[in-house]
Amino acid sequence: MASDGARKQFWKRSSSKVPGSIQHVYGAQHPPFDPLLHGTLLKAAPKAPSTPVKAKRVSTFQEFESDTSDAWDAGEDDGLLAMAAESLNTDVVMETASRVLRNHSERQERHKRREAPGPEQKPKPSAEPPPVPSGDLRLVKSVSESHTSCSAESASDTVPLQRSQSLPHLVTVALGGTSDPSAVSSSALSEREASRLDKFKQLLAGPNTDLEELRKLSWSGIPKPVRPITWKLLSGYLPANVDRRPATLQRKQKEYFAFIEHYYDSRNDDVHQDTYRQIHIDIPRMSPEALILQPKVTEIFERILFIWAIRHPASGYVQGINDLVTPFFVVFMCEHIEEEEVDAADVSRVPADVLRNVEADTYWCMSKLLDGIQDNYTFAQPGIQMKVKMLEELVSRIDEPVHRHLEQHEVRYLQFAFRWMNNLLMREVPLRCTVRLWDTYQSEPDGFSRFHLYVCAAFLVRWRKEVLEERDFQELLLFLQNLPTAHWGDEDVSLLLAEAYRLKFAFADAPNHYKK
């Protein structure tokens, strides 16, 4: 059995043994080469496609490596950019402050009464965050605090920020029945959902939708029946004026299929062949498999990704972009199928004209998203490298024990957080959780770029107990690449978002906050 030091040296020396790689395929005006070979990120030898199971605990690194074909790991880079400041929404801050002042004392006492064990009740330690109470959810404990309070760690290991409470957070809505039924009664949940749905419908029914109000309402989750139209509005695809929407949809759908007619036949040309081949290889690796492996869906995704790559030669196609198609496609398909879960639906039964419209809408909304994060996918992916460096800086200030523990075991943030940034956490949480995350991302200013940083920081600190318990480089990395989130639901996402908002509030306008 090799020593721990020998395993670390072997990991660092042999880039071909790092699980997974990012494939950059440059279409249109770029030759097919991998910029990671010319940079500092590590690249792995290609492996046969397979779909890793998140909930399964892999016993050895060799098993993990053989079962995972695209873990999206990367190496180190010493020339990364420093952390940038972020401005807060003043209206949100003022509203938040007034709510905190009004509710702080009452909520604090309620938390104490609820968390205090009874005479015959023993507290149950758990790796999961505590359930959100059934009443007003505007004030929840921070995720980091919920973990430190359950552990036997000394008070000196807890940074001051972790002892504070989260900012007020609006009530979240259940998405397709994914909420825990034990958290709130079904009648109360239904009443709350109906009330929120009415608010959305009233807002959307006006001649000109107030997008600022729509964002505020959407932050806490969008009801399933109005999610398609709301996403199209928040992404900037549809205009706020109701009368202009039909003409806009018709024009954009016609424009997309003009691209198909003009460009798609070139997929087998020598200059574009590598781009199309890589797209064709990557799509079967996506999830959910039951949906992706349907021939109609595969064809749609191939067209969307190829056309986007051809029309964006500065980046071309990069692995990770393919995952960003799925949430839009699933949400827009929900309007046209009877099944509760889209991956259980037979897409071939959907009328051809409906599928054409869904395909065009998915293309344009994905393009709008990528316009805001395109530096994530240009040469050497500077956007991702910068965000990973910013994440490292942020975690070092909000949870120094976790940061120090990763440093002591020589686990670099790029080795696990590169995928978090590249795929927007889609490989880390179930699709239903991704859809809920994107409700908030689209309602936040620069949600997919800046706010995602704070979500990733909260996500890492969420696992602080498990991270601190791991004392082995290999086991630490395997855990961070295979987190147990298969059974996550709306409450887990709501807690994660509340913690991320708290971090944003504390640090966005104070880049030196808690900095030593």
Side-chain angles (χ1 to χ4, degrees), residues 61-109:
F61 170 71
Q62 286 76 17
E63 291 178 53
F64 178 81
E65 181 184 16
S66 65
D67 290 342
T68 308
S69 60
D70 52 355
W72 314 89
D73 289 297
E76 59 185 285
D77 190 287
D78 296 325
L80 302 178
L81 301 178
M83 182 173 184
E86 176 183 345
S87 59
L88 282 173
N89 185 311
T90 305
D91 294 337
V92 173
V93 173
M94 295 304 295
E95 182 183 357
T96 293
S98 63
R99 287 179 179 171
V100 170
L101 292 173
R102 185 171 62 250
N103 295 310
H104 176 72
S105 298
E106 179 184 349
R107 296 301 172 202
Q108 195 171 37
E109 289 301 321

Side-chain angles (χ1 to χ4, degrees), residues 15-18 20-23 34 36-37 41-46:
S15 63
S16 64
K17 295 299 183 183
V18 177
S21 65
I22 302 293
Q23 287 289 335
D34 190 340
L36 298 187
L37 290 176
L41 304 182
L42 302 180
K43 182 179 185 300

Side-chain angles (χ1 to χ4, degrees), residues 44 187 195-196 311 324 430 434 489 507:
S187 58
S195 174
R196 283 180 53 78
R311 297 193 67 246
L324 307 184
T434 295
F507 289 94

Side-chain angles (χ1 to χ4, degrees), residues 178-196:
T178 57
S179 289
D180 183 1
S182 64
V184 289
S185 66
S186 58
S187 58
L189 193 63
S190 300
E191 184 179 348
R192 186 184 308 135
E193 285 180 333
S195 174
R196 283 180 53 78

Side-chain angles (χ1 to χ4, degrees), residues 114-180:
R114 183 171 59 254
E115 293 171 0
E120 298 181 358
Q121 180 184 4
K122 295 182 180 179
K124 298 179 180 179
S126 172
E128 295 296 322
V132 180
S134 59
D136 189 347
L137 306 187
R138 290 179 296 176
L139 191 62
V140 295
K141 287 188 69 177
S142 70
V143 177
S144 55
E145 183 185 357
S146 68
H147 281 281
T148 53
S149 63
C150 295
S151 66
E153 296 171 350
S154 63
S156 61
D157 287 338
T158 306
V159 294
L161 188 60
Q162 292 171 332
R163 292 195 294 268
S164 63
Q165 289 183 316
S166 297
L167 296 175
H169 185 53
L170 296 176
V171 176
T172 56
V173 63
L175 307 175
T178 57
S179 289
D180 183 1

Side-chain angles (χ1 to χ4, degrees), residues 57 149 152 159 173 230 238 311 316 332 407 416 501 515:
R57 178 67 173 181
S149 63
V159 294
V173 63
T230 303
L238 283 185
R311 297 193 67 246
F332 298 155
E407 277 191 336
F416 62 88
Y501 185 82
K515 190 172 183 179

